[in-house]
Amino acid sequence: MFKTKTYVQRREELKKKIKSGVILFLGNSEAPMNYAANTYHFRQDSTFLYYFGIDRPDLAAIIDLDENKEIIFGDDFTIDDIVWMGPQKSIKQEASSCGVKHTATFSDLEKFCEDAFKRGRRIHFVPQYRYDNILKIHKLLGIAPKHSNDYASTDLIKAIAEQRLVKSQEEINEIEKAIEIAYEMQTTAMRFAKAGMYEKDVMGFISGLAMSLGSGLSFPVIFSRRSEILHNHSYGNKLKNGDLVVNDSGAETTLHYASDITRTFPVSGKFTSMQKDIYEIVLITQLVAISEIKPNITYHSVHLKAAETITEGLKALGLIKGNTKDAVKAGAHALFFPHGLGHLLGLDVHDMENYGENNFGYDEKHKRSTQFGLKYLRYAKPLKENVVLTVEPGIYFIPALIEQWQKEKKHVDFINYEKVNEYKNFGGVRIEDDVVVTKNGARVLGKPIPKAVEDVEEIASDKI
Amino acid sequence: MFKTKTYVQRREELKKKIKSGVILFLGNSEAPMNYAANTYHFRQDSTFLYYFGIDRPDLAAIIDLDENKEIIFGDDFTIDDIVWMGPQKSIKQEASSCGVKHTATFSDLEKFCEDAFKRGRRIHFVPQYRYDNILKIHKLLGIAPKHSNDYASTDLIKAIAEQRLVKSQEEINEIEKAIEIAYEMQTTAMRFAKAGMYEKDVMGFISGLAMSLGSGLSFPVIFSRRSEILHNHSYGNKLKNGDLVVNDSGAETTLHYASDITRTFPVSGKFTSMQKDIYEIVLITQLVAISEIKPNITYHSVHLKAAETITEGLKALGLIKGNTKDAVKAGAHALFFPHGLGHLLGLDVHDMENYGENNFGYDEKHKRSTQFGLKYLRYAKPLKENVVLTVEPGIYFIPALIEQWQKEKKHVDFINYEKVNEYKNFGGVRIEDDVVVTKNGARVLGKPIPKAVEDVEEIASDKI
């Protein structure tokens, strides 16, 4: 945990923004895997972690704004629990570690909510993504499960999102710790991956590193020689010399701040010249995008700048033709770059995604596009100092998509399909770093992870 | 997957046992970790795997007994999905791989259930442990979430449990593959663990091995120098020479059959004489228990035999006094051995636990004890050929439990508390293997994993 005062101050700041009523925070419970008692590793809810920091299942908390009172609800362990789990802190001790004076049993929460209703008070809560918590909302507040999130408090979401958007120095330090783990995961993968191995061999090794060095993965590893598949979670292919593999992975620190890094490297340790051409377009695009970032500029415009840089590069190779700005406006580049440039990063790898991207990444002035590719951009609004986000352009040759567009004669004015088909088995390249917006620009966070062609080749040749 | 005919035969056998109505099988969906799209690794429901073998989220199936018809319900992927996830099989292809002819969209399932109700037909289902599936049961069958499992079909549970209890040769082969992975996890841990490392370093390494060599862990690793804590899932301690560490871990094969192995070893590579004394009692107990196992004997009686062997051993050390059978009958040994001897193993590490242990581990003739320790025995009934279960006796010195019993003067006729307190910081020892009941006895499955004192010392001294 951070120091007690961090949590006290975060709650004080929130209280200034929500004037009245009650704020209800549901912590997470254990998540059953194949039966109730065999659970996935415990992950506390990020909102709960942000305001209370207690990393333990089956808790809830309220901030009673009208009476200026905070209560943690949870049950102490019995001697039977202690035999199975070892000595545990009491709820009182847990609460005091984040500066909360009052505690009650979990079942008291139902009475608390009943009482609040009787007094005609508003109970604010954020959207829920765990089904057991949706059922708790049903039980406590009487909202049908399928409508749970229709009753989430927009005022609360906006207040919390505004607060979590800008990172404190101690949060940035945590993210840099998470990137230190990602550094080990990336450089180990480059050195460990060899022809004849399966993707799974590398995926398991670096997942284990994330578990040893932090709190495990911040999201399922993408490690694939089919590097054109954006979120590939199968690992059954055998690596060959000549393959380009993408490693998109990250870890959580013990306080659950995330990293998210992508590198693409040749299994053999040496890029082919065709691979190098595409790789360098992506690398230049990433560097250009990072150099664009500064306060007040929208991330939407940074994304478009990246799309233009990719288009320029692909024009030089003869894959795209025509006017760059027109091609990007039409969305022709999205055949190769079909996703957004990046996303917020913090306690969640897609920070605050559970609040709904349109609640914090877009607003009245900045509306989500419906265009293929651009519609996946997760954050479009103007940037601010100390916002942390990923910058992750990519170029992919996705056979199913190429076939479909060509059949539909889509963007034939911009796309040279004949040339594109020469790259059909190429795969893809993505390069991703985590950056913080500074006073006048941006800083790539963490110890630099090799990305220049010669640096990647050096490490990927130095096998373990 | 196994061959198509395996699944066809399993369903045919089930159909003979349930004569009429409809059997509804819900597959699992992705399980959200910290927001809806950031999920834990996918684990298909074991009942679904057993009868259909399709390892993909968001499926359901029915067996219509009255019309002798089988249907898989699920939705094909769109081009957007394929961009993110790569090419996928169609539902038709998936269904044919397990010999099911009919398919329909997931939303057709609601119409199917409505229609079945109109025709007054019984819809059988097993208890649910995933909250999203509890909500699906609510939506499809109109059962309030908190009462979902009160309407599970006892006939169906008993029929399936009877079928899954006895393993086929191909299932036993899969379990042996899972034990091969556990062999690597156990021997690697012994060789890798060194003074100065954290428990986490070893836990991460062996978890990674499970991911590389199979489908990951079959349950969260227990790796701890606080070896007296039965299910310790924290890994924050630093290892020291002189420590005895317990490693209770297992893996799933790609078909999701589980292993579950425990070894206890000295970090330094050398047991102290006090550690060796306790270790050898546990080892002898385990060997005695395995030698007791054969068809028709109850696992309850094997458990009691193990409790007696532990008691005899502890009497020799002066920790227990009085008549052995009386001490075990009174439950005095449970201060040291507070859990059951073992559990069924198969597609689940606690096989079929989601059906409710009392539905398959106990019956009218074999009722669950309420005595501390014995009440945790997960399977008590007579054994049969080709049943697979774990044999995992242990001796622990749990400070909180010792203090409580001593304060309550519990079993003072049998327990020599003065002597027990000399062992208060000892920790614990557990040794576990997976065995199959044979025609006349039992066979320890898999490649033998070192457990004799000298064999463990040899490997634990040969550090990597």
Side-chain angles (χ1 to χ4, degrees):
Chain A
M1 281 181 82
F2 291 125
K3 287 190 182 137
T4 305
K5 70 166 188 212
T6 296
Y7 302 100
V8 172
Q9 282 167 359
R10 286 174 177 177
R11 295 194 301 271
E12 287 307 316
E13 202 183 317
L14 181 62
K15 285 182 209 171
K16 280 182 212 143
K17 291 179 180 171
I18 308 288
K19 301 287 182 218
S20 68
V22 171
I23 309 174
L24 170 64
F25 300 88
L26 293 181
N28 282 340
S29 296
E30 296 281 8
M33 187 173 82
N34 53 331
Y35 50 90
N38 201 29
T39 55
Y40 290 107
H41 73 271
F42 176 67
R43 176 54 159 80
Q44 182 58 293
D45 173 67
S46 297
T47 310
F48 200 90
L49 280 174
Y50 187 80
Y51 291 106
F52 301 96
I54 311 172
D55 199 1
R56 166 174 172 162
D58 301 325
L59 298 179
I62 62 102
I63 298 178
D64 184 331
L65 296 157
D66 306 325
E67 309 205 345
N68 194 23
K69 193 175 175 182
E70 299 166 333
I71 311 174
I72 302 270
F73 296 85
D75 298 323
D76 282 320
F77 290 103
T78 65
I79 181 75
D80 274 39
D81 297 326
I82 289 163
V83 166
W84 290 89
M85 303 162 61
Q88 305 289 329
K89 280 188 189 170
S90 69
I91 298 292
K92 271 273 171 230
Q93 287 169 314
E94 299 274 22
S96 87
S97 67
C98 64
V100 170
K101 287 196 194 74
H102 303 280
T103 63
T105 67
F106 200 90
S107 66
D108 287 337
L109 181 56
E110 210 173 332
K111 286 173 261 170
F112 182 93
C113 291
E114 276 305 313
D115 186 56
F117 279 129
K118 275 184 198 146
R119 293 157 69 191
R121 297 167 66 193
R122 168 98 192 262
I123 299 176
H124 302 268
F125 62 94
V126 296
Q128 303 297 318
Y129 52 92
R130 292 269 188 114
Y131 295 93
D132 52 336
N133 279 346
I134 289 171
L135 283 169
K136 280 179 207 151
I137 290 288
H138 171 58
K139 192 177 170 194
L140 293 168
L141 308 183
I143 302 167
K146 70 173 174 174
H147 287 297
S148 191
N149 293 343
D150 296 323
Y151 290 86
S153 164
T154 310
D155 291 349
L156 180 66
I157 292 168
K158 292 199 190 288
I160 295 180
E162 197 185 327
Q163 195 178 350
R164 284 181 57 186
L165 175 66
V166 177
K167 268 63 179 175
S168 68
Q169 192 53 52
E170 59 187 353
E171 290 185 285
I172 292 169
N173 295 344
E174 276 296 307
I175 294 170
E176 296 210 82
K177 275 188 213 168
I179 298 169
E180 266 178 53
I181 305 171
Y183 177 96
E184 296 301 326
M185 294 164 74
Q186 289 291 343
T187 56
T188 302
M190 288 180 193
R191 298 182 61 206
F192 184 67
K194 290 178 247 346
M197 269 182 187
Y198 286 86
E199 294 161 346
K200 227 169 140 174
D201 296 321
V202 185
M203 178 280 292
F205 197 167
I206 65 176
S207 300
L209 278 179
M211 295 168 90
S212 287
L213 302 174
S215 285
L217 299 168
S218 51
F219 60 99
V221 168
I222 297 163
F223 185 88
S224 183
R225 63 182 292 274
R226 297 292 306 279
S227 39
E228 81 282 8
I229 301 171
L230 305 184
H231 280 181
N232 194 358
H233 296 148
S234 69
Y235 315 101
N237 297 313
K238 199 186 244 191
L239 303 180
K240 296 199 306 267
N241 285 326
D243 285 348
L244 210 50
V245 288
V246 67
N247 177 9
D248 184 348
S249 57
E252 289 193 353
T253 62
T254 49
L255 299 192
H256 301 288
Y257 282 82
S259 57
D260 182 1
I261 301 287
T262 307
R263 290 292 182 269
T264 306
F265 67 94
V267 170
S268 68
K270 192 89 190 148
F271 288 94
T272 65
S273 89
M274 196 188 211
Q275 288 169 346
K276 205 187 293 187
D277 287 345
I278 299 293
Y279 186 91
E280 292 202 315
I281 298 172
V282 177
L283 182 57
I284 286 164
T285 302
Q286 201 225 20
L287 297 172
V288 165
I290 293 169
S291 74
E292 287 285 307
I293 293 174
K294 60 183 177 187
N296 300 319
I297 193 168
T298 67
Y299 206 52
H300 179 93
S301 69
V302 182
H303 172 90
L304 292 180
K305 180 73 187 176
E308 287 167 16
T309 313
I310 283 173
T311 302
E312 288 289 334
L314 293 176
K315 271 168 72 177
L317 293 180
L319 292 153
I320 295 187
K321 56 196 177 182
N323 178 278
T324 298
K325 282 198 189 293
D326 291 345
V328 168
K329 202 174 170 193
H333 68 283
L335 177 61
F336 310 101
F337 175 40
H339 60 77
L341 182 63
H343 49 81
L344 299 177
L345 181 79
L347 275 166
D348 303 305
V349 64
H350 290 176
D351 209 26
M352 310 193 282
E353 186 170 304
N354 58 311
Y355 302 156
E357 280 166 8
N358 290 341
N359 280 323
F360 62 85
Y362 291 86
D363 60 19
E364 280 304 305
K365 270 171 73 181
H366 308 87
K367 300 219 168 186
R368 192 185 279 267
S369 166
T370 55
Q371 192 183 68
F372 177 77
L374 189 54
K375 72 179 173 186
Y376 294 123
L377 182 63
R378 300 178 185 282
Y379 191 85
K381 290 200 299 190
L383 299 172
K384 283 183 185 179
E385 194 179 346
N386 291 331
V387 167
V388 174
L389 26 73
T390 68
V391 183
E392 48 177 315
I395 294 177
Y396 315 89
F397 295 88
I398 304 166
L401 195 63
I402 294 167
E403 278 161 36
Q404 184 178 313
W405 280 32
Q406 188 168 13
K407 210 173 69 187
E408 293 173 3
K409 297 195 168 47
K410 213 165 162 179
H411 299 308
V412 283
D413 294 347
F414 297 115
I415 295 169
N416 182 352
Y417 283 104
E418 205 178 306
K419 189 82 187 162
V420 169
N421 279 299
E422 291 173 21
Y423 286 76
K424 220 168 170 182
N425 298 314
F426 179 93
V429 172
R430 178 164 65 252
I431 302 172
E432 173 183 27
D433 283 301
D434 305 330
V435 309
V436 61
V437 183
T438 58
K439 208 178 166 82
N440 304 306
R443 176 169 75 84
V444 175
L445 289 169
K447 180 169 155 189
I449 302 172
K451 60 183 173 184
V453 164
E454 55 278 21
D455 295 342
V456 170
E457 286 186 339
E458 194 186 322
I459 296 208
S461 304
D462 180 27
K463 297 294 182 194
I464 43 173
Chain B
M1 280 182 80
F2 290 125
K3 288 190 181 133
T4 306
K5 70 165 189 216
T6 297
Y7 303 100
V8 173
Q9 282 167 358
R10 285 174 178 177
R11 294 194 302 271
E12 287 306 317
E13 202 182 318
L14 181 62
K15 285 183 209 170
K16 281 182 214 145
K17 290 179 182 172
I18 307 288
K19 301 286 183 220
S20 68
V22 171
I23 309 174
L24 170 65
F25 299 88
L26 293 181
N28 282 339
S29 296
E30 297 280 8
M33 188 174 80
N34 53 332
Y35 51 89
N38 201 28
T39 55
Y40 290 107
H41 72 272
F42 176 67
R43 175 55 160 81
Q44 182 57 292
D45 173 66
S46 297
T47 309
F48 200 89
L49 281 175
Y50 187 80
Y51 290 106
F52 302 95
I54 312 171
D55 199 1
R56 165 174 172 162
D58 300 327
L59 299 178
I62 63 101
I63 298 178
D64 185 331
L65 295 158
D66 305 328
E67 310 204 344
N68 194 23
K69 192 175 177 183
E70 298 166 333
I71 311 173
I72 303 271
F73 296 85
D75 298 324
D76 282 321
F77 290 103
T78 65
I79 181 75
D80 274 39
D81 296 325
I82 288 163
V83 167
W84 290 89
M85 303 160 61
Q88 306 288 328
K89 281 188 190 168
S90 71
I91 298 292
K92 271 272 172 231
Q93 287 169 315
E94 299 273 22
S96 87
S97 67
C98 65
V100 170
K101 288 196 193 72
H102 303 281
T103 62
T105 67
F106 200 89
S107 65
D108 288 336
L109 182 55
E110 210 174 332
K111 286 174 263 168
F112 181 92
C113 292
E114 276 304 315
D115 186 56
F117 279 129
K118 275 183 199 150
R119 295 157 67 191
R121 296 168 65 192
R122 168 98 192 262
I123 300 177
H124 301 268
F125 62 95
V126 296
Q128 303 297 319
Y129 52 91
R130 292 269 187 112
Y131 294 95
D132 51 338
N133 279 346
I134 288 171
L135 284 168
K136 281 178 205 150
I137 291 288
H138 171 58
K139 192 176 169 196
L140 294 167
L141 308 183
I143 302 167
K146 71 174 174 174
H147 287 298
S148 191
N149 293 343
D150 296 324
Y151 289 87
S153 163
T154 310
D155 291 349
L156 180 66
I157 293 167
K158 292 199 190 287
I160 296 181
E162 198 185 326
Q163 195 178 351
R164 284 180 57 187
L165 175 65
V166 177
K167 268 64 182 174
S168 68
Q169 192 53 51
E170 61 188 352
E171 291 187 283
I172 292 170
N173 295 346
E174 276 297 306
I175 295 170
E176 296 210 85
K177 277 189 212 164
I179 297 170
E180 267 178 51
I181 306 172
Y183 177 96
E184 297 300 327
M185 294 165 74
Q186 288 291 343
T187 56
T188 302
M190 287 180 193
R191 299 182 61 205
F192 184 67
K194 291 178 240 1
M197 270 183 186
Y198 285 87
E199 294 161 346
K200 227 170 143 173
D201 295 321
V202 185
M203 179 279 293
F205 197 167
I206 65 176
S207 299
L209 278 178
M211 296 168 88
S212 287
L213 302 174
S215 285
L217 300 169
S218 52
F219 60 99
V221 167
I222 298 163
F223 186 87
S224 182
R225 63 181 294 274
R226 296 292 307 279
S227 39
E228 81 282 8
I229 300 171
L230 305 184
H231 280 182
N232 194 359
H233 295 149
S234 68
Y235 313 101
N237 297 312
K238 198 186 246 190
L239 303 180
K240 296 199 305 267
N241 284 326
D243 284 349
L244 209 51
V245 287
V246 68
N247 177 8
D248 185 347
S249 56
E252 287 192 356
T253 62
T254 48
L255 300 192
H256 301 288
Y257 282 82
S259 57
D260 182 1
I261 302 288
T262 308
R263 290 292 181 268
T264 307
F265 67 94
V267 170
S268 68
K270 192 89 190 146
F271 289 94
T272 66
S273 88
M274 197 189 210
Q275 288 168 345
K276 204 187 295 185
D277 287 345
I278 299 292
Y279 186 90
E280 293 204 313
I281 298 172
V282 177
L283 181 56
I284 287 165
T285 301
Q286 202 227 17
L287 298 172
V288 165
I290 293 169
S291 74
E292 288 285 306
I293 293 174
K294 60 183 176 187
N296 300 320
I297 194 168
T298 67
Y299 207 52
H300 179 94
S301 69
V302 182
H303 172 90
L304 291 180
K305 181 73 186 177
E308 286 167 18
T309 313
I310 283 173
T311 302
E312 288 290 333
L314 293 177
K315 271 168 72 177
L317 293 180
L319 291 153
I320 296 187
K321 56 195 176 181
N323 177 279
T324 297
K325 285 202 188 290
D326 291 345
V328 168
K329 201 172 171 197
H333 66 285
L335 176 61
F336 310 102
F337 175 41
H339 61 76
L341 182 62
H343 50 80
L344 299 177
L345 181 80
L347 275 167
D348 303 305
V349 64
H350 290 176
D351 208 28
M352 310 193 281
E353 186 170 302
N354 58 312
Y355 302 157
E357 279 166 8
N358 291 340
N359 280 324
F360 62 83
Y362 291 85
D363 60 19
E364 279 305 304
K365 271 171 72 182
H366 308 88
K367 301 217 168 189
R368 192 184 279 268
S369 166
T370 56
Q371 191 183 70
F372 177 78
L374 189 54
K375 71 179 174 186
Y376 294 122
L377 182 63
R378 300 179 185 279
Y379 191 83
K381 289 199 301 188
L383 299 173
K384 283 183 184 178
E385 195 179 344
N386 291 332
V387 166
V388 174
L389 27 73
T390 68
V391 183
E392 48 177 314
I395 294 177
Y396 315 89
F397 296 88
I398 304 166
L401 194 64
I402 295 167
E403 277 161 37
Q404 184 177 314
W405 279 33
Q406 188 168 15
K407 212 173 68 189
E408 292 173 3
K409 296 195 170 47
K410 213 164 161 177
H411 299 308
V412 283
D413 293 349
F414 297 114
I415 294 168
N416 181 352
Y417 284 104
E418 205 179 305
K419 189 78 186 166
V420 170
N421 278 296
E422 291 174 20
Y423 286 77
K424 220 167 170 180
N425 298 314
F426 179 93
V429 171
R430 179 164 63 251
I431 302 172
E432 174 182 27
D433 283 301
D434 306 331
V435 309
V436 60
V437 183
T438 58
K439 206 177 167 84
N440 304 304
R443 177 170 73 86
V444 175
L445 290 169
K447 179 170 157 187
I449 302 172
K451 60 183 173 182
V453 164
E454 54 278 22
D455 295 341
V456 170
E457 287 186 338
E458 194 185 321
I459 296 208
S461 303
D462 181 27
K463 296 296 183 194
I464 43 173

